[in-house]
Every structure is written in C-alpha cells, then in structure tokens.
Amino acid sequence: MKLPRQVFLFLVSFFALINGWAQDKPNIVFILSDDAGYADFGFQGSKEFKTPELDKFAKNSVLFTQAYVSAAVCGPSRAGLLTGKYQQKFGFEENNVPGLMSKNGTTGDDMGLPLDQKTMADYLKEQGYKTAVFGKWHQGNADRFHPTKRGFDEFYGFRGGARSYMPYGTDNETKRDEDRLERGFGEYEEYEGYLTDGLADEAISFMERNQKNPFFIYLAFNAVHTPMEAKEEDLKKIQGLTGKRKTLAAMAIAMDKACGKVLNRIKELGLDENTLIVFTNDNGGPSDSNESSNNPLSGTKANHLEGGIRVPFLMSWPGKLKPNTVYNNPISTLDLLPTFVTAAGGNVSGIKDLDGVDLIPFLTENTTEKPHETLYWKKEARGAVRHNDWKLVRFPDRPAELYDIKEDISEVNDLATEHPEKVRELYKMLFNWELTLERPLWQLERRFEGKAAERMDTYRKHKS
C-alpha cells in the first residue's frame, strides 16, 4: 500500500531526527590496564618504558595528576568504577572474588558483584548504546554475574582475575572455565596469538560493526598483570633492563601498540571527533610480583599509601575538552559512570548512593570547586581518608599516620604527633563513613593482611 505523501515525509523526517539524535551521542571507549606501575609510562615521566602511542594520546588529552581508584586491588576497584559507588556500600570490600569466607555461607563462584547493582553498561544501554567488554571481568564467576547479564551486549574475555597471554591447548579439562576465553555466554574460543593483541582486535571489530550507532567499549586489558609473558619481538627491543623488569617493559610495549591500534582505528573510521576516550589503571603496581615502579609514590598494590591507590589517568573528548592540558585536583574512578552517562544524555540524579561526579563541568567551566574534597578507602581494619590535602592512613598493627599530600607526595613525613587534632578529626570522618557501609559479604584469610603490611613496608620511601 502506497503511503500518503504527508505520512511519508513525516516518517522520513522522524527517522532522520532519530538518526541524528543517535549520532550526536558520543561513542565512549574506556581502556583499563591492569597492575601497571604509576611511573611506567612515557607520559608519566618514564625513561625506561616506551609507550609512544599512549604518549601521543596524552598530548591530545587531559592528564589528571591526582586520579584515585576506590580500592587497591583489582576486583573491588572494578566494582566501584562499574557502579559509580564505593563498593563497600554493597559489601564488596577490598577483597577479590572469589574470597575464602563469607558472612552468609556464600563460597567460591557465588561471590560477585551483587545483582541489585546496576553497571555503567546498564545505564548506557538505556540511552541507546551498543555495549561491549573485552578482556578481564573479575566480578564473579557464576553465570548470573556474567557480563552479558550486567548490561553488556557483547563479551570476549575471561571471567576470572588472571590468565596466560598465550592460547590454551585443546586439553581444557585442566583449565578452570573462568580462565578460558569466552565469546558471548558459554562459548569458549581461544585467541591464536598474544592476548593483548586479540583484545584490541575485538574492540576494533566491534567499532566497525557498530559505527552507525553510539557504542560503549570497556577494553579491560589483563596487561600487565602476571603471569610475566611477553612476545619475543618485544623483548628484543628492551635495552638496559633485566629479569621481570625487562619482561614488564616488553609487555607494556605490546599494550601500548594495542592501544594505538584502537585509537588509530577510531580516527580512520572518522569517529574521533565524537568519541570520549579514557585510559587509566585499576590500582597501583605490585612491585614485588612484577617489578613495576610507582615512583615517586610510597607503597604498592594492596595498601592505602599513594602507590596503591593513585593511578595514571587520561581523558580525551575533541571539541569538549582542551587537549594537552593538566588537571591537578583529586578525582576518582568512581567518577567514570556519572561522566559517561551524563555525556550520553542520561540523568544520574536519581541513582541512589552515587559517589562519583560528572567530571566534564570541572574541566570546561571556570570553577574553583573540586570534584571531591574527601575520598575514602577501607579494607577490614585498614583504612584511609583524604580530606583536601590531608591524608590519614589507619593500620591494624601501628598508630595511624598523617600526611600533607600536597607537600609530601611520597608520604615520608608523618605529621601525626605534630597535629593530633587533625588525626582525631580525620579518624572520626573515616569512622562516620564506615557507619554507612554494609558488612563485607566475604573476606580473605588473615594471612593476606600480613602480606599487605609486609609489601607496604618494603616499598616505602624514606627521608633522604
């Protein structure tokens, strides 16, 4: 049946409007590295590690000098950034999944990101986005925690927290399902090459298939997390380094090249002018296990000194954010969800208990206001609070310590005895915040707390 001309023109205009509305929404590409050292990038000042692609990206980005994660280890850090909330609010304390003990008898694979929590992918799907995650999930191994049930249309990666960069053989009976590469839900498919390359290829394929629709990509590299496995061609490029540090530098080369492939393809597809891109890391580098460097910060992954919780952070959005600029106020990866959802046209004001903020106004408007005056961290008896430039670190095995972070980025001058009133003030703030939290849904064996303290003490900076 032939449509009347007026109806035909109305439908053409309507669909053109809808298409234009969709195209106005920025694509969002979020790249997360794993266990990288704070200092192990060229744009962070490294002379040993070569990261030319990310260095080039940094020149087109805003570089944040005081970016924090909400946890000093992988799983809870990701739970925080995926929800925009302190993960302790819903019982996902700084303990990776699966943990070893729980208050309700939950064990093993049944530990994961609680199902009553919506992810950034959930919210972006509501705004018409195609969504995908490639790489490490680490939010629960059970089927009900699967990425495709948490807002992501596509998934290629592994459910667990670490795996080989090389393909597993056909004898997969010896491998746990959470370590195997999975396409979609329940279809296991190994990448026949170096995994870092494969994850970049998957992200590019997704962009090519969805370039007419606004899309969200969460590219969660497992690089440079252990195991220490690098390509021979990259190892040959490393001069002056030995052992794990050499292998780490080669792994960083592969990740940098993979990032470059993705970033270059965005431009080749003509999407660069309408794509918001973020690169950051999930926690501080674990210097004892992969010889990463967090200089000039004290501490490492798994503790609340700056080396455990401060991370490299770059953000680019052409036409919105001024390139090659530096932002010096504290931010948090909790800010990613409200930033992304607001950029997509969503309204985050109704999200209960949201702790992150939309960063764009702080970068585009002439304001002296800070995104956060106060930030918190907690793992069982350990905790920390940063309020403006003062930071209190609470320990289970020694008195609390107080630092002026603006003047003492390396945390070598403990001012607790000089400012007992400030210790009391911040200690009370931390305690009052803890009163708002859920009890941890699971915990780890106590021996891991001892290891965290040992790692912290080993990698502290000292007065010269």
Side-chain angles (χ1 to χ4, degrees):
M1 182 181 71
K2 189 174 181 179
L3 292 172
R5 177 177 174 79
Q6 294 90 337
V7 175
F8 174 77
L9 292 175
F10 170 78
L11 291 175
V12 170
S13 300
F14 176 77
F15 287 113
L17 178 65
I18 292 297
N19 184 61
W21 170 78
Q23 293 303 310
D24 286 341
K25 291 176 176 286
N27 304 305
I28 301 172
V29 177
F30 170 38
I31 305 175
L32 186 69
S33 59
D34 190 356
D35 275 13
Y38 183 77
D40 286 339
F41 298 90
F43 67 87
Q44 290 287 95
S46 178
K47 303 300 182 184
E48 296 179 329
F49 280 41
K50 306 302 179 185
T51 55
E53 296 295 339
L54 286 170
D55 297 348
K56 182 170 63 176
F57 176 60
K59 292 180 180 179
N60 293 306
S61 304
V62 179
L63 185 152
F64 295 78
T65 61
Q66 299 193 70
Y68 290 95
V69 289
S70 62
V73 292
C74 307
S77 172
R78 292 157 197 264
L81 66 87
L82 283 169
T83 61
K85 306 174 185 180
Y86 285 111
Q87 61 282 352
Q88 296 95 338
K89 283 186 174 179
F90 46 85
F92 201 140
E93 198 155 307
E94 288 197 35
N95 295 298
N96 279 324
V97 295
L100 298 178
M101 298 180 290
S102 71
K103 69 175 185 179
N104 58 6
T106 302
T107 58
D109 291 350
D110 289 325
M111 299 175 180
L113 181 64
L115 300 182
D116 61 352
Q117 299 301 313
K118 292 178 68 172
T119 72
M120 58 175 62
D122 288 315
Y123 292 110
L124 290 171
K125 281 193 73 170
E126 292 173 357
Q127 296 302 312
Y129 278 66
K130 295 293 185 180
T131 59
V133 54
F134 303 111
K136 172 175 170 175
W137 179 235
H138 211 196
Q139 295 298 292
N141 298 331
D143 288 349
R144 63 183 179 278
F145 301 125
H146 194 271
T148 58
K149 299 184 180 182
R150 308 310 298 270
F152 291 96
D153 296 313
E154 295 190 21
F155 171 57
Y156 183 72
F158 57 99
R159 302 189 193 189
R163 60 151 282 153
S164 175
Y165 293 80
M166 310 303 180
Y168 291 146
T170 56
D171 182 22
N172 279 328
E173 291 78 13
T174 61
K175 306 299 181 186
R176 301 175 302 175
D177 281 350
E178 62 265 30
D179 296 337
R180 297 160 62 192
L181 291 177
E182 184 178 14
R183 184 175 298 283
F185 180 76
E187 296 293 328
Y188 295 100
E189 177 187 323
E190 288 294 308
Y191 176 73
E192 296 303 318
Y194 191 70
L195 182 54
T196 303
D197 299 333
L199 298 179
D201 291 342
E202 292 291 332
I204 289 170
S205 173
F206 181 82
M207 288 191 297
E208 292 172 343
R209 288 182 280 111
N210 292 281
Q211 57 185 297
K212 300 300 183 182
N213 192 90
F215 59 77
F216 168 57
I217 293 174
Y218 172 29
L219 179 51
F221 287 115
N222 55 317
V224 292
H225 196 290
T226 54
M228 305 300 293
E229 297 172 348
K231 293 190 288 187
E232 191 62 33
E233 64 191 76
D234 292 330
L235 284 167
K236 291 178 179 178
K237 299 174 184 176
I238 307 302
Q239 304 295 323
L241 298 175
T242 59
K244 288 183 179 180
R245 186 99 179 124
K246 178 177 181 178
T247 303
L248 186 69
M251 295 168 73
I253 286 177
M255 183 181 67
D256 181 70
K257 288 191 297 185
C259 291
K261 284 179 64 177
V262 173
L263 297 172
N264 291 334
R265 191 58 180 147
I266 291 172
K267 187 172 184 179
E268 291 165 357
L269 293 171
L271 303 174
D272 51 318
E273 293 301 315
N274 194 34
T275 301
L276 168 59
I277 307 171
V278 169
F279 173 84
T280 188
N281 190 59
D282 64 343
N283 46 248
S287 305
D288 57 330
S289 62
N290 70 1
E291 294 194 7
S292 51
S293 171
N294 296 313
N295 286 333
L297 311 177
S298 280
T300 66
K301 174 181 180 177
N303 64 69
H304 296 138
L305 296 177
E306 293 289 286
I309 55 177
R310 191 188 288 210
V311 292
F313 195 108
L314 301 171
M315 180 184 291
S316 169
W317 192 2
K320 295 284 187 179
L321 303 180
K322 187 176 180 180
N324 200 25
T325 55
V326 176
Y327 187 75
N328 291 315
N329 287 324
I331 67 160
S332 169
T333 49
L334 299 174
D335 301 328
L336 290 169
L337 183 147
T339 300
F340 292 165
V341 174
T342 303
N347 185 348
V348 299
S349 62
I351 300 178
K352 184 180 179 182
D353 293 331
L354 186 68
D355 294 301
V357 300
D358 175 17
L359 291 174
I360 303 304
F362 297 95
L363 306 176
T364 57
E365 300 174 7
N366 186 19
T367 177
T368 58
E369 187 179 355
K370 298 178 180 179
H372 301 278
E373 285 193 346
T374 310
L375 292 168
Y376 298 98
W377 298 267
K378 178 186 183 298
K379 184 181 186 299
E380 299 182 26
R382 291 189 286 126
V385 52
R386 174 171 175 171
H387 181 63
N388 293 320
D389 292 326
W390 289 104
K391 180 181 173 186
L392 177 89
V393 187
R394 187 186 68 198
F395 307 96
D397 64 338
R398 68 199 76 181
E401 297 171 359
L402 180 70
Y403 298 100
D404 180 346
I405 295 300
K406 184 177 181 179
E407 300 298 328
D408 182 19
I409 188 175
S410 300
E411 294 171 296
V412 298
N413 298 306
D414 178 14
L415 303 176
T417 56
E418 296 178 34
H419 298 278
E421 75 293 342
K422 184 60 67 173
V423 171
R424 287 192 293 271
E425 175 190 347
L426 296 185
Y427 210 106
K428 190 72 171 179
M429 289 178 67
L430 179 58
F431 175 74
N432 287 336
W433 173 70
E434 288 174 310
L435 293 178
T436 70
L437 307 178
E438 286 287 338
R439 289 287 187 183
L441 292 173
W442 55 82
Q443 295 178 305
L444 298 180
E445 291 180 344
R446 295 301 301 168
R447 60 188 175 91
F448 289 107
E449 285 295 273
K451 288 184 176 181
E454 181 180 351
R455 174 186 273 173
M456 178 190 68
D457 288 338
T458 302
Y459 292 96
R460 268 185 183 269
K461 303 297 180 186
H462 300 282
K463 293 180 181 180
S464 57

